[in-house]
Amino acid sequence: MKKYLDFVSYNLWSLFSPPVGMENFHCHRKRGYTKVRKKEPQVQAILSQNTPSQQIGLLAQAVVYEFHHNHELLNSPNGTEEVAKILNLEREIDEVRQRVTQIINNYYSNPVLVGKNIHKIMRGDEGFPQPILIHHGNYQFNLFAAMDCIIIEPDGRYNILDFKTGTSDFDRRQALVYLLAARYLYPNQKVVASFYNLETQQESEFIEAGDIQLDAVEAELVKIAKKHQEELYKVRRKLVKFEDIYPESPGIQCKACDFNSICEFARLGVS
Ligand code: SF4
């Protein structure tokens, strides 16, 4: 009998396959570092620290949370400075401090949650979400889906709102994972998902999916969860070589890759 359940998340899905249009920039070696070599000291050191982008994402979420929980800050002439102080922004490196300051200013001038019926909002530092146990035929697996915020729309629908930063396009697959999670968490609710970028202030349309589409998403996630475990099994037992399962793809993507300081192929990508 298996001790641990297989698991899957949007993050794992994106490590297997990139969003549409990003195929040429995808590198499977990153999955190898993240999932197989994560206990090696150099890899562990990288994974234990937030990259600037991750730190900006976390702090951006905290900006929304703080303004939501301290409404008076939105009316205070010092509201932006107060939030920067709560977040200890002065301790951050320049890039993080500057971009998060912009996010604070953006939200202060355009507080998109004001007037909304908030069912739940996270600060972003709560750690791993509770897994959702999914029974797919005889197969059981855990689905992880950390939801930033859920709004109850005027028509009663739950809107799972995901806050973004940076310039990447919204990935519809992430919304579909939320909608699948919601099918288990809120079985009697009508649910949509959407994105809002706190830097560019762009918002997505509401994304919806019916049962047939969510069945297909679930089947895809089952494939990924199984494939991931199969890969781990084969590599750990040395049935296949690490580099055969996780081939490198050097290219322009190496520049922004978390592992470029330890990957021997990074120089091919950034030259
Ligand atoms: S540095 Fe380049 S080749 Fe190496 S893992 Fe990152 S993207 Fe892949």
Side-chain angles (χ1 to χ4, degrees):
M1 178 134 160
K2 259 189 186 176
K3 265 190 190 165
Y4 302 106
L5 281 182
D6 296 350
F7 71 92
V8 71
S9 61
Y10 163 70
N11 176 260
L12 185 61
W13 192 355
S14 60
L15 285 170
F16 267 94
S17 55
V20 174
M22 299 299 286
E23 295 79 1
N24 292 338
F25 307 108
H26 191 72
C27 180
H28 290 281
R29 179 62 55 92
K30 286 163 82 169
R31 188 169 79 258
Y33 280 126
T34 310
K35 299 297 179 189
V36 178
R37 293 174 62 176
K38 61 184 175 188
K39 293 205 173 136
E40 292 177 13
Q42 284 183 313
V43 180
Q44 203 171 29
I46 291 170
L47 292 175
S48 66
Q49 293 203 330
N50 286 332
T51 61
S53 307
Q54 287 166 337
Q55 186 67 357
I56 290 162
L58 279 174
L59 289 169
Q61 169 80 29
V63 168
V64 179
Y65 180 92
E66 293 301 340
F67 274 125
H68 178 69
H69 280 276
N70 301 288
H71 261 192
E72 66 283 5
L73 291 171
L74 287 170
N75 300 318
S76 158
N78 301 322
T80 55
E81 289 85 356
E82 286 296 314
V83 171
K85 215 185 280 172
I86 293 169
L87 301 184
N88 281 322
L89 268 198
E90 78 284 351
R91 291 194 199 161
E92 302 292 339
I93 61 169
D94 286 354
E95 181 192 356
V96 173
R97 196 172 55 250
Q98 283 160 13
R99 284 177 57 191
V100 176
T101 300
Q102 186 59 52
I103 288 166
I104 294 173
N105 292 336
N106 287 351
Y107 194 84
Y108 183 77
S109 57
N110 182 24
V112 288
L113 292 189
V114 168
K116 305 275 189 197
N117 184 358
I118 308 293
H119 175 63
K120 157 178 159 176
I121 182 163
M122 308 301 276
R123 194 175 190 276
D125 54 5
E126 294 84 0
F128 268 115
Q130 282 293 315
I132 300 162
L133 178 63
I134 294 189
H135 297 261
H136 185 86
N138 294 329
Y139 180 65
Q140 291 179 23
F141 66 102
N142 279 324
L143 172 65
F144 289 92
M147 298 173 188
D148 295 343
C149 176
I150 300 178
I151 295 168
I152 303 176
E153 295 295 332
D155 61 6
R157 289 185 297 178
Y158 278 15
N159 173 13
I160 302 169
L161 175 61
D162 193 71
F163 294 113
K164 293 283 171 211
T165 53
T167 53
S168 306
D169 290 338
F170 302 132
D171 186 351
R172 192 179 164 81
R173 298 177 306 172
Q174 187 173 12
L176 294 174
V177 170
Y178 288 140
L179 293 175
L180 178 64
R183 185 160 77 164
Y184 289 88
L185 295 173
Y186 312 111
N188 301 317
Q189 276 292 333
K190 288 204 171 196
V191 184
V192 297
S194 61
F195 298 103
Y196 180 76
N197 187 311
L198 292 159
E199 287 193 274
T200 62
Q201 301 188 72
Q202 281 181 319
E203 62 187 351
S204 75
E205 61 199 12
F206 285 170
I207 297 160
E208 298 175 81
D211 275 336
I212 293 174
Q213 194 176 4
L214 292 182
D215 288 345
V217 172
E218 186 171 306
E220 183 64 26
L221 293 181
V222 165
K223 268 199 251 164
I224 292 164
K226 286 182 175 173
K227 190 161 192 311
H228 178 53
Q229 293 307 318
E230 192 186 301
E231 287 182 352
L232 293 181
Y233 179 87
K234 286 182 179 168
V235 171
R236 285 181 179 152
R237 277 162 188 73
K238 303 198 183 330
L239 302 175
V240 285
K241 287 187 190 154
F242 174 83
E243 54 270 32
D244 289 344
I245 292 216
Y246 306 105
E248 72 282 357
S249 298
I252 194 168
Q253 61 275 15
C254 296
K255 226 176 182 174
C257 175
D258 300 346
F259 305 104
N260 60 17
S261 59
I262 59 169
C263 175
E264 66 267 40
F265 299 96
R267 67 191 161 75
L268 300 176
V270 291
S271 59

